[in-house]
Amino acid sequence: DIGFEMYQKILNEAIDELRENEFKELFRDRNSDSLSKFVDDCVLETDLEVRIPDNYVNNISERLSLYQQMDNVKNEQELDAFEKMLVDRFGPIPKPVEELILSFRLRWLAQEVGIEKLVLKTNKMIGYFISRHESGFYDSPIFTKVLHFMQENPSVAKLSEKNKKLRIIYSDVTSLDDAYTHLDNILRVHTE
């Protein structure tokens, strides 16, 4: 009844949770890998214009088809191919579409940082970290980078907890480029 994709998603989440909790000892080497993926998807909420405008692709069904194709893009190579296809079919990419493409890169970067939800509204960015407190993320090298970044840059962002969810808050974020740069700076921190 729920469909195959939803079933797969629920099953994968259950397996990951078992791997991190009940069978933690069996997967110790895998869980401690600095390249472990702790977040499968990051939800992005924004009041910025990230869309395919009517004057770029004027056919509604074609725009919907393009959104569906984008939804299936899983990595940088596929995103580059999609971008090239847009240029070939519709000409130079306008700013809102550039922002839409950058939103995918931003979400992937947020996932690397351990952010499940990213809100960019009213010139502010709030990233909500993994909600499961028992997640291996909080013992990972990535979270160590977050903490070092906060220690080295206390005026850039702040950590706070709201409704038992840890979040990072940035003020004066006016574009997706700003947001990307801020999150990228976290990953560039050296922790030695």
Side-chain angles (χ1 to χ4, degrees):
D1 288 344
I2 61 173
F4 183 73
E5 286 181 24
M6 181 59 79
Y7 170 77
Q8 283 295 114
K9 183 179 179 189
I10 291 170
L11 182 62
N12 288 335
E13 287 173 2
I15 290 170
D16 289 342
E17 193 170 324
L18 286 170
R19 200 177 275 151
E20 285 184 18
N21 298 325
E22 293 179 38
F23 299 103
K24 192 174 192 174
E25 296 301 314
L26 290 173
F27 293 94
R28 180 181 295 146
D29 293 338
R30 185 171 174 190
N31 289 345
S32 65
D33 183 0
S34 64
L35 299 175
S36 287
K37 190 174 179 183
F38 295 102
V39 178
D40 290 325
D41 193 22
C42 175
V43 175
L44 175 64
E45 290 180 16
T46 184
D47 58 4
L48 300 172
E49 189 176 6
V50 290
R51 63 185 185 88
I52 301 172
D54 303 353
N55 61 0
Y56 185 61
V57 178
N58 57 12
N59 185 312
I60 294 172
S61 61
E62 197 161 19
R63 269 198 319 275
L64 288 175
S65 173
L66 290 171
Y67 284 125
Q68 287 175 332
Q69 286 176 38
M70 273 194 101
D71 195 41
N72 292 323
V73 169
K74 301 297 179 213
N75 58 47
E76 188 64 41
Q77 293 80 16
E78 291 177 10
L79 189 61
D80 287 342
F82 182 81
E83 195 171 356
K84 287 176 185 163
M85 180 272 302
L86 286 177
V87 171
D88 287 346
R89 286 182 60 194
F90 305 104
I93 295 176
K95 185 72 171 165
V97 178
E98 287 176 4
E99 295 289 295
L100 179 62
I101 291 168
L102 181 56
S103 74
F104 276 75
R105 292 183 175 111
L106 178 62
R107 285 177 45 222
W108 293 335
L109 182 61
Q111 286 174 235
E112 277 186 66
V113 176
I115 294 173
E116 292 179 325
K117 181 179 177 182
L118 194 62
V119 179
L120 273 109
K121 292 185 179 178
T122 60
N123 297 335
K124 185 190 248 186
M125 178 171 72
I126 303 172
Y128 294 85
F129 289 102
I130 295 171
S131 54
R132 289 187 339 267
H133 294 287
E134 67 279 356
S135 169
F137 166 74
Y138 292 104
D139 294 323
S140 74
I142 299 294
F143 189 63
T144 302
K145 283 181 178 263
V146 171
L147 295 176
H148 278 122
F149 176 81
M150 295 307 300
Q151 288 173 339
E152 293 174 7
N153 303 284
S155 62
V156 174
K158 67 178 185 173
L159 282 177
S160 77
E161 192 172 7
K162 183 177 182 181
N163 299 329
K164 296 186 179 184
K165 289 187 178 182
L166 184 64
R167 57 196 190 139
I168 188 167
I169 302 169
Y170 292 87
S171 299
D172 199 30
V173 177
T174 58
S175 70
L176 293 177
D177 281 323
D178 287 350
Y180 190 92
T181 300
H182 283 304
L183 293 182
D184 191 47
N185 287 338
I186 291 173
L187 294 180
R188 294 181 185 277
V189 169
H190 296 288
T191 57
E192 295 168 5

